[in-house]
Amino acid sequence: MASCSSEKDIACEAQISPSAEIELGDKSSGENSCVRPLTSSPRPVRAAQREMKRKPAESEELEEANVLPPVYVSTVKFTPESRMNLYCDQILASCKAEEADEAMSKYLTEKLRARSTWLGVWKTNPELFFVKYDEGSIPYVGVLVEVTCRPRQSQSSHLRATVSIIEPYSSNIANLPRELVEEVLDELDHCVPLLEVYPIDDQDSAVCGIAQALENVRFFYDFLWRDWDDEEGCENYTALIEERIRLFYDIQDGTIPGPVGQRFKRTLEKYRNKRVELIEYQSNIREDPSAAEAVECWKKYYEILMICGLLKIWEDLRLRAHGPFFPRILRRRKGQRPSGKIVTHIVAKMMTADMVKDFSANTLIQQHDNLDASLDNCFSGDTVVIFPGEYHASGFGMLTDDIIIRVFIEMSTSPSVNANPVK
């Protein structure tokens, strides 16, 4: 019978390091912000659930928290090349996968030397405060804090900072008791993961530099790091990071069709959730595991390995085009419209009579305000006419029928472009 005693396999023993539940790309700190929690640390840990030890009396009036100030929002527009230069040439250089944590540590340490104390919003897992809560209404608990970053005492302390509540007391939850926040911070010794802290806006350039550095590190752990990286040997780790950067931008710019890109994201999220689920399951085993617990542990582990294998196919540029996802995603060819008629699709935010004055009287016209909608409604032989405007489309890679696309530039027609189906 398999036992849970191996030091290497994740299913047998998890080595836990500080982690942070973060939200990448959050542009607001308000109560109704749409925040997507992601595991930012290479090795996520379970947030401890706790009861509210202090329950105010019904007659007691709670101090209502102020609205959180806006956090710093990056205005830096990265290209694939600039991302590669930042991560592969500047931060990681020639380091191995198992040295990535230390490389990120050095990068942050250099940036934090510019200012040791600043203001930020601490965003953390609601499980630190509540046993039961609605994830839809409380995606995170945010509190305005003063942050103090001291020189790190050990290799594992590079992602941690000392925080304290400042005036005015502010949170994204208006009725969150200040005493409860103080109690949680006391239990944490006022030391929280640095990646959970978001510098607020309107601070000096040094703090803006720190905020941008934190965003860069979050991006690395959210999109470029994989939990298996330091468990497998890789001769050229920076080359692997370059492939993941290309994959990220291929999804962003529509090179990989939208539905396929969404499937990859769901698979990656599923992998992370399954890994956290395994770690939580292991942590609930108090003593030596029973036979049933050992079997369940291995089942979860091998499920993770299967998902890991699918993700690795995506990260190999040679396998990606012929991987197992495309045959199941691409649509069947529609062919001609059942009526046999040909339709001209107009893509414009607003259509005027002048736009269609050059069309024949018997032309069948259908207007769309976005390009994807026009492509979805096309049958073989149809024409798509795009008028001036800014349009984003993920449907080009999903075309299965021969259509004609015409683009109007300053109300003059450019040469027609034939769009052939993807085989």
Side-chain angles (χ1 to χ4, degrees):
M1 178 61 64
S3 63
C4 293
S5 59
S6 170
E7 294 181 357
K8 183 176 181 181
D9 288 340
I10 178 179
C12 300
E13 182 178 1
Q15 294 181 349
I16 299 174
S17 69
S19 68
E21 294 292 321
I22 71 168
E23 308 79 38
L24 187 65
D26 177 31
K27 301 186 182 301
S28 171
S29 59
E31 183 175 352
N32 296 323
S33 301
C34 180
V35 180
R36 178 177 58 87
L38 290 177
T39 304
S40 68
S41 170
R43 290 163 287 273
V45 297
R46 180 189 181 193
Q49 289 188 341
R50 63 192 302 277
E51 296 282 356
M52 291 179 58
K53 296 181 179 180
R54 176 185 176 278
K55 294 184 178 180
E58 293 183 359
S59 59
E60 182 180 354
E61 293 186 2
L62 291 175
E63 175 188 3
E64 185 167 312
N66 289 286
V67 176
L68 288 172
V71 299
Y72 169 85
V73 177
S74 175
T75 57
V76 179
K77 302 298 182 183
F78 284 100
T79 63
E81 291 73 23
S82 60
R83 287 274 188 199
M84 293 176 190
N85 176 264
L86 173 64
Y87 293 105
C88 300
D89 299 336
Q90 299 180 34
I91 301 179
L92 296 175
S94 59
C95 77
K96 300 178 180 178
E98 56 268 25
E99 300 169 339
D101 282 353
E102 181 64 16
M104 290 294 149
S105 169
K106 291 181 179 178
Y107 171 70
L108 276 181
T109 298
E110 290 296 323
K111 299 299 181 180
L112 291 170
R113 286 175 180 171
R115 180 62 57 84
S116 60
T117 303
W118 37 275
L119 304 182
V121 174
W122 174 41
K123 297 182 180 181
T124 191
N125 197 316
E127 290 185 358
L128 280 174
F129 296 86
F130 312 111
V131 174
K132 294 182 180 181
Y133 63 95
D134 182 1
E135 293 185 9
S137 61
I138 309 179
Y140 67 91
V141 172
V143 180
L144 181 63
V145 295
E146 182 181 60
V147 185
T148 302
C149 297
R150 300 187 179 91
R152 58 194 181 110
Q153 302 299 318
S154 65
Q155 181 176 344
S156 63
S157 64
H158 68 289
L159 293 180
R160 305 195 73 79
T162 301
V163 300
S164 58
I165 300 176
I166 63 168
E167 299 296 340
Y169 172 61
S170 306
S171 173
N172 63 322
I173 302 176
N175 60 347
L176 181 68
R178 178 173 183 152
E179 292 78 4
L180 176 59
V181 179
E182 293 283 9
E183 182 182 335
V184 170
L185 287 176
D186 287 341
E187 291 180 1
L188 298 174
D189 197 23
H190 286 259
C191 189
V192 303
L194 182 57
L195 295 185
E196 288 187 350
V197 184
Y198 294 74
I200 65 173
D201 207 359
D202 294 330
Q203 298 186 78
D204 60 29
S205 58
V207 180
C208 290
I210 292 174
Q212 184 60 54
L214 290 171
E215 287 295 313
N216 294 339
V217 175
R218 292 187 187 106
F219 181 91
F220 174 79
Y221 284 124
D222 280 341
F223 298 104
L224 306 181
W225 171 266
R226 303 291 185 263
D227 295 299
W228 62 79
D229 281 356
D230 58 357
E231 298 170 0
E232 301 179 358
C234 181
E235 295 181 359
N236 191 344
Y237 185 58
T238 54
L240 181 60
I241 294 299
E242 286 185 4
E243 289 188 0
R244 290 173 181 169
I245 291 174
R246 291 192 186 98
L247 174 61
F248 173 82
Y249 280 97
D250 283 349
I251 293 175
Q252 293 296 108
D253 64 17
T255 301
I256 293 179
V260 183
Q262 288 300 320
R263 180 167 183 160
F264 169 76
K265 292 178 181 179
R266 289 194 300 267
T267 304
L268 180 58
E269 190 67 18
K270 182 179 180 180
Y271 170 84
R272 288 169 170 162
N273 292 337
K274 290 294 182 181
R275 185 178 173 90
V276 173
E277 181 181 313
L278 173 59
I279 294 174
E280 290 183 347
Y281 182 81
Q282 290 175 309
S283 67
N284 289 329
I285 300 176
R286 301 298 180 184
E287 301 175 353
D288 292 337
S290 64
E293 289 173 331
V295 170
E296 184 65 23
C297 197
W298 281 108
K299 284 172 59 179
K300 293 180 180 297
Y301 173 58
Y302 282 111
E303 185 178 8
I304 290 174
L305 286 184
M306 291 178 62
I307 301 174
C308 173
L310 291 176
L311 292 171
K312 287 181 179 179
I313 291 177
W314 280 93
E315 294 176 1
D316 191 314
L317 294 177
R318 295 164 299 177
L319 295 176
R320 193 185 306 164
H322 306 287
F325 299 94
F326 280 84
R328 300 173 60 183
I329 291 295
L330 291 180
R331 302 173 299 178
R332 292 182 179 180
R333 184 180 178 92
K334 286 183 179 180
Q336 290 188 339
R337 191 172 276 99
S339 64
K341 297 180 179 179
I342 303 298
V343 174
T344 297
H345 302 267
I346 304 294
V347 181
K349 299 300 181 182
M350 297 291 290
M351 190 171 70
T352 64
D354 189 57
M355 292 180 177
V356 297
K357 66 180 182 180
D358 294 329
F359 291 103
S360 62
N362 60 349
T363 302
L364 298 177
I365 296 176
Q366 187 175 359
Q367 188 260 335
H368 310 273
D369 60 4
N370 68 83
L371 189 51
D372 270 330
S374 67
L375 297 176
D376 288 341
N377 285 274
C378 277
F379 285 79
S380 183
D382 283 1
T383 298
V384 177
V385 182
I386 306 174
F387 282 85
E390 183 176 343
Y391 307 100
H392 301 275
S394 58
F396 285 109
M398 303 294 288
L399 288 175
T400 57
D401 294 276
D402 297 315
I403 64 173
I404 297 174
I405 298 178
R406 299 170 60 194
V407 181
F408 273 72
I409 301 177
E410 295 182 353
M411 303 309 292
S412 63
T413 309
S414 68
S416 299
V417 179
N418 289 321
N420 294 317
V422 179
K423 300 293 185 185

